[in-house]
Amino acid sequence: DAKTTQPNSMESNEEEPVHLPCNHSTISGTDYIHWYRQLPSQGPEYVIHGLTSNVNNRMASLAIAEDRKSSTLILHRATLRDAAVYYCILRDPPHLRGGSNYKLTFGKGTLLTVNP
Amino acid sequence: ETGVTQTPRHLVMGMTNKKSLKCEQHLGHNAMYWYKQSAKKPLELMFVYSLEERVENNSVPSRFSPECPNSSHLFLHLHTLQPEDSALYLCASSRIPGQGAYEQYFGPGTRLTVT
């Protein structure tokens, strides 16, 4: 599996933007970039995913480098409820069947602290 | 609320006990998962069920026994556990890969303590 590298921790202030980086220099041409987060005392939750183009949804934006070797999850205005561990994960394309595409391989992620 | 519920939320058991963890999903998914999250370790995938058949068993000891009686319910039967099995056990569900969006939806977990 292609690996991702994230900073162990980051800190932000409330209502300011947060840019969470992820390096994936060995990404294959078909790997999708997924982000999940885990709030304290909860299970992980899906945030966003993309392939090449930047993506936006109600939770966040995903900016993908042109060479796809890195990506950045952007929270436009951090709130205290955004304090969580954020995971960047590479996955096979959604149309692929087969065993490997059931796997969601979590690393250590980035612990985001949001200061009031 | 993610549409995935787990019971109990907390469980304390002795090493000679037998207990079961229950997971239920209300999302119409056909794949269900058990993960283990130990302190200061990444989440580890334990078992995967697709259409009620086990498709993945990640070298999990036999003292953990999963059961998937239908696509909405998943159980993890526990017996003769060790203290090092104390962890957060998370259930998740998703569509089967190849059938569109395949994000996994997680329950809140069961915090298990083995004494």
Side-chain angles (χ1 to χ4, degrees):
Chain A
D1 291 339
K3 288 188 65 174
T4 63
T5 305
Q6 299 176 253
N8 289 334
S9 63
M10 289 186 66
E11 208 166 316
S12 172
N13 296 320
E14 202 174 7
E15 298 191 4
E16 290 184 357
V18 181
H19 291 234
L20 296 161
C22 181
N23 288 318
H24 28 78
S25 58
T26 59
I27 190 170
S28 78
T30 56
D31 283 338
Y32 277 65
I33 302 157
H34 286 246
W35 284 81
Y36 281 73
R37 71 179 184 179
Q38 187 172 16
L39 281 64
S41 303
Q42 294 188 30
E45 66 173 336
Y46 166 80
V47 177
I48 200 167
H49 76 274
L51 181 62
T52 55
S53 305
N54 295 345
V55 185
N56 300 297
N57 67 19
R58 63 174 180 82
M59 289 180 71
S61 295
L62 176 59
I64 301 172
E66 199 167 331
D67 64 3
R68 301 205 333 118
K69 294 189 177 189
S70 65
S71 60
T72 303
L73 181 72
I74 302 166
L75 307 179
H76 295 285
R77 289 183 69 212
T79 70
L80 297 178
R81 288 174 293 178
D82 291 320
V85 179
Y86 286 78
Y87 300 97
C88 170
I89 301 169
L90 302 183
R91 296 192 73 185
D92 287 337
H95 64 270
L96 274 189
R97 300 172 186 266
S100 67
N101 216 5
Y102 289 100
K103 291 185 180 179
L104 204 56
T105 303
F106 289 84
K108 294 182 180 178
T110 297
L111 174 63
L112 175 66
T113 302
V114 180
N115 300 314
Chain B
E1 280 292 331
T2 63
V4 180
T5 58
Q6 290 187 243
T7 53
R9 294 293 308 276
H10 300 271
L11 177 62
V12 179
M13 61 185 287
M15 289 191 286
T16 58
N17 290 159
K18 287 185 180 181
K19 295 285 184 183
S20 296
L21 309 184
K22 180 183 175 182
C23 175
E24 185 172 358
Q25 58 96 2
H26 308 275
L27 300 168
H29 291 158
N30 281 316
M32 296 189 77
Y33 310 77
W34 280 116
Y35 288 83
K36 175 183 178 182
Q37 188 170 33
S38 305
K40 300 182 181 179
K41 281 178 137 183
L43 279 87
E44 303 169 75
L45 180 64
M46 300 175 71
F47 300 104
V48 180
Y49 276 82
S50 177
L51 295 172
E52 300 143 44
E53 287 195 17
R54 194 188 310 179
V55 297
E56 186 87 19
N57 176 350
N58 268 358
S59 304
V60 179
S62 59
R63 58 186 183 269
F64 295 91
S65 175
E67 179 190 1
C68 188
N70 56 61
S71 59
S72 298
H73 293 87
L74 184 66
F75 294 89
L76 188 63
H77 304 298
L78 315 171
H79 64 97
T80 58
L81 295 191
Q82 306 297 312
E84 58 265 29
D85 295 322
S86 298
L88 181 67
Y89 289 85
L90 290 154
C91 173
S93 72
S94 76
R95 290 185 186 181
I96 296 172
Q99 294 186 355
Y102 62 146
E103 301 89 68
Q104 292 185 16
Y105 291 79
F106 286 78
T110 295
R111 174 69 63 188
L112 174 67
T113 303
V114 181
T115 60

